Each structure stands twice: as C-alpha cells, then as structure tokens.
Amino acid sequence: MKQTWMKQEAAEAAQIIHHQFEQNALLMRQLGARLRATPPKLVLTCARGSSDHAAGFAKYVIETRLETLVASHAPSTSSIFATPLRHLDGVLFLVISQSGKSPDILTSMRFARQAGAYVVAMVNDALSPAAQEADVFIPLHAGPERAVAATKSYIASLAAILHLVGEWAEDSQLLTALAKASEPVRAAFDADWTKFSETLLSARSLFVIGRGITFGIAHEMALKLKETSGLHAEAFSAAEVRHGPMAIVESGFPVLMIAPQDAAAGGYAALSEEFTARHAQVFSSGGPFPGAYELPTPKGLHPLILPLCQVTSFYACAEALARARGRNPDSPPWLKKVTETH
C-alpha cells in the first residue's frame, strides 16, 4: 500500500509547528498583551472531537499557568436548545476547530458574542465562517488535511495553545522551548512503538491513561484507535481508573499510560503496579514505571512540549496498526472529514 495521507500528514507536524510559531509571532504577542491588560474572568472553550481534546489540554495549561478558570461550553445548548448565553462580559470564548464550518460551533460563537464574550478562534481554514466571525482569528497553518482522522491539525492546535499561553503569561522558557519544538517532534515521529502496536493486533479493548495535561491527549489517542483500527479504546484519568473501570482489567488486557512530566505523574508508579498485579499488558510513555514496557519517549523536554511528542509518536504507531489490522486509516467506515453537527 502506498504511503497513507494519515502518515504523511502526521509527519508534517514538526514543520508546521515551526512555521506556525514564526507566522503567528506578532499576532500572539498582541493578543497576549491584550489579555494581560484586560484579564478574562473565565475562559470558555467551544470545540468538538479532536479539537475538544485540544481544549482539554488548554484547560490544564491555562489553569495551572495563568490561574484562570476554564470551562467547556456544550454547543448543543446553543444549536439544539437555542438557549441564549448571558453575562459573558469579561469572558474569553475560545473556539478550536479544524474546519471552522460546524453549524453548532458557529451558532455558539454568535450567542457568545451577543452575550459580550471576546471570541478567539483557532481554526485551520482561514476562509471558514468561524475564522471570519471571530474577534481574533488564530490560523493553525496546518494546510489541507485529507485523511479523515485529524493529526497535524490537532498537533497544530496544541502548539497554538502553548504559544498563546506563553505570550499571555510572558513565559520566556515556554516560548523558547516552543521555538525549538520542531526538532524533538520530528524525532518523535520516528520513535519505535512497534511493541505496543503488535500487542493490539488481536486486541478488542484497551485503556489509555492520562492526567492533567495528558488527559486530553489520552482522549485523542483513544478516539484515533476507534476511528482507524476499530478498537474499543477508553480514556481515563489516572486518578479515576482505580474505581469502577478497574473491574474489567484482567490477564492480557492492554493499558497505555501517557504520563506528564510534572506533579500529576506522582501516582503513575503505584497505578502501574496495580495493573501489572492483574496481569495487564502495560505500556508507558513518560516512565519508567514498575511492570510497564517503556515506549521510546524524549527526555529532558519542557513538560508542556512533551505531550506534542507523545501524540506524534502515537499517530505514527496508530497508522501502522490500522494497516496491519487490514484497515485504511485515511477513510474509516461511516466517517467523513467535516462533521456538520447541529
């Protein structure tokens, strides 16, 4: 089989990060200055699918770096229930979208503006309605994406979030790390996660574990395994999986642990021991952890840059797994690129 669009697009992510950082430098500097001058009382995110997983990443980055509460807006409350939004003066309404065309996202944007919110849209399509209607449009610069499963646009969204936070917080260390991020992301694409994909060849279910900044990453990974390989993958917080979900873990059950390099990693070692005590097949990125097979993961990176590398390695692995399972990762059954949810 010729090279898939999914593999080609995931491989482009490193260059996109570099290009995006350069092209958006002035825009992000100006937006960061505005947000410092008029700090929002709340950030309200609006997104669906992979973009919503990027919004989950944004929640932990903004709350921990800027001490500003982040909540998620459910687009259906605007599009289906036509419930007006009220009292959003002083609120940053952050839209994240690859296409910028989904009707429910557009309706939510209009309601938010009418309620007084400051609407910022991170969108890949510069000609889309969402890009045109926002108070500030942040281009993702990912270029056309042909594979149904989003890869480079998701990584571009993470990079844009970090760029915004870096300028808003005047975090020179983060900005410097992001300026150099293309190199480790490029290397991460070539990381050998074959051991993990081989384990999933005949699997039917698995858990993907994240916490804090990797919680949204775990959800994105679980979604891609559903889309491209037809696997029943579920994402859980490292704190919550110990409760009800642990009951279905038995001998041979695959578990992928995506660990952050910050305070949220503290419970991963004990959790890995619990999984291995149940004879699960545990794989980790960001370890090492007791009983887990350690997947190749960059060391010594800024903790907010590492998740970009982890998801890049995963995308390359997921693409190969889908092909090995006899599927076309570019065209999953029953799915299309733009989901026009109302």
Side-chain angles (χ1 to χ4, degrees):
M1 182 179 182
K2 67 178 183 179
Q3 187 180 65
T4 65
W5 284 115
M6 181 181 178
K7 183 174 182 178
Q8 181 176 319
E9 289 168 357
E12 294 171 4
Q15 181 57 35
I16 289 166
I17 291 171
H18 177 74
H19 177 68
Q20 181 196 96
F21 185 81
E22 290 189 334
Q23 293 297 310
N24 288 353
L26 178 59
L27 171 64
M28 290 296 201
R29 196 173 305 124
Q30 293 173 338
L31 181 54
R34 186 200 186 281
L35 294 174
R36 288 195 305 277
T38 310
K41 62 185 180 183
L42 170 72
V43 176
L44 196 58
T45 62
C46 183
R48 285 220 182 266
S50 290
S51 295
D52 196 38
H53 302 155
F57 176 79
K59 173 181 176 65
Y60 284 97
V61 176
I62 292 171
E63 289 190 351
T64 58
R65 298 280 165 158
L66 290 154
E67 300 177 356
T68 301
L69 185 64
V70 180
S72 174
H73 170 67
S76 61
T77 62
S78 296
S79 63
I80 298 296
F81 298 99
T83 306
L85 298 173
R86 302 194 186 280
H87 311 301
L88 295 187
D89 297 285
V91 170
L92 170 61
F93 194 80
L94 180 60
V95 175
I96 306 174
S97 174
Q98 191 276 329
S99 71
K101 297 175 183 177
S102 187
D104 57 350
I105 299 293
L106 297 172
T107 301
S108 297
M109 289 178 66
R110 294 175 191 132
F111 277 32
R113 290 191 71 182
Q114 291 168 8
Y118 184 59
V119 180
V120 173
M122 295 179 172
V123 183
N124 194 38
D125 186 349
L127 300 179
S128 67
Q132 301 297 316
E133 293 185 20
D135 292 309
V136 176
F137 161 52
I138 298 174
L140 296 180
H141 295 291
E145 197 168 46
R146 302 191 187 187
V148 169
T151 54
K152 63 180 181 177
S153 63
Y154 177 75
I155 297 171
S157 298
L158 302 185
I161 290 162
L162 294 180
H163 200 173
L164 173 60
V165 170
E167 290 290 358
W168 182 359
E170 294 186 292
D171 187 336
S172 60
Q173 289 187 338
L174 174 56
L175 292 172
T176 298
L178 185 58
K180 300 176 180 178
S182 59
E183 183 177 340
V185 169
R186 184 176 293 107
F189 182 79
D190 295 322
D192 186 3
W193 282 28
T194 305
K195 183 72 172 177
F196 175 60
S197 61
E198 288 177 346
T199 298
L200 297 184
L201 278 175
S202 59
R204 298 183 63 185
S205 299
L206 74 151
F207 286 168
V208 186
I209 309 299
R211 194 170 190 187
I213 60 170
T214 65
F215 189 42
I217 306 297
H219 277 275
E220 170 63 9
M221 292 177 175
L223 173 63
K224 286 299 180 288
L225 291 172
K226 293 184 183 83
E227 284 181 331
T228 61
S229 284
L231 276 164
H232 179 223
E234 286 194 85
F236 288 103
S237 160
E240 295 172 356
V241 75
R242 285 186 167 92
H243 303 293
M246 189 66 82
I248 70 170
V249 176
E250 55 188 17
S251 180
F253 190 89
V255 177
L256 175 60
M257 302 176 66
I258 306 299
Q261 298 299 291
D262 56 28
Y268 270 75
L271 181 59
S272 184
E273 289 180 334
E274 289 185 43
F275 279 127
T276 54
R278 289 165 171 76
H279 305 289
Q281 297 185 77
V282 185
F283 297 85
S284 70
S285 172
F289 301 114
Y293 180 92
E294 186 177 4
L295 297 167
T297 304
K299 305 291 185 182
L301 293 180
H302 188 291
L304 294 182
I305 300 298
L306 180 62
L308 279 65
C309 296
Q310 291 169 310
V311 77
T312 300
S313 297
F314 168 81
Y315 281 152
C317 173
E319 186 272 345
L321 173 64
R323 288 188 289 105
R325 286 173 64 99
R327 290 173 171 259
N328 179 0
D330 289 342
S331 184
W334 314 112
L335 299 179
K336 58 182 179 178
K337 186 63 182 171
V338 179
T339 303
E340 294 190 357
T341 309
H342 293 271

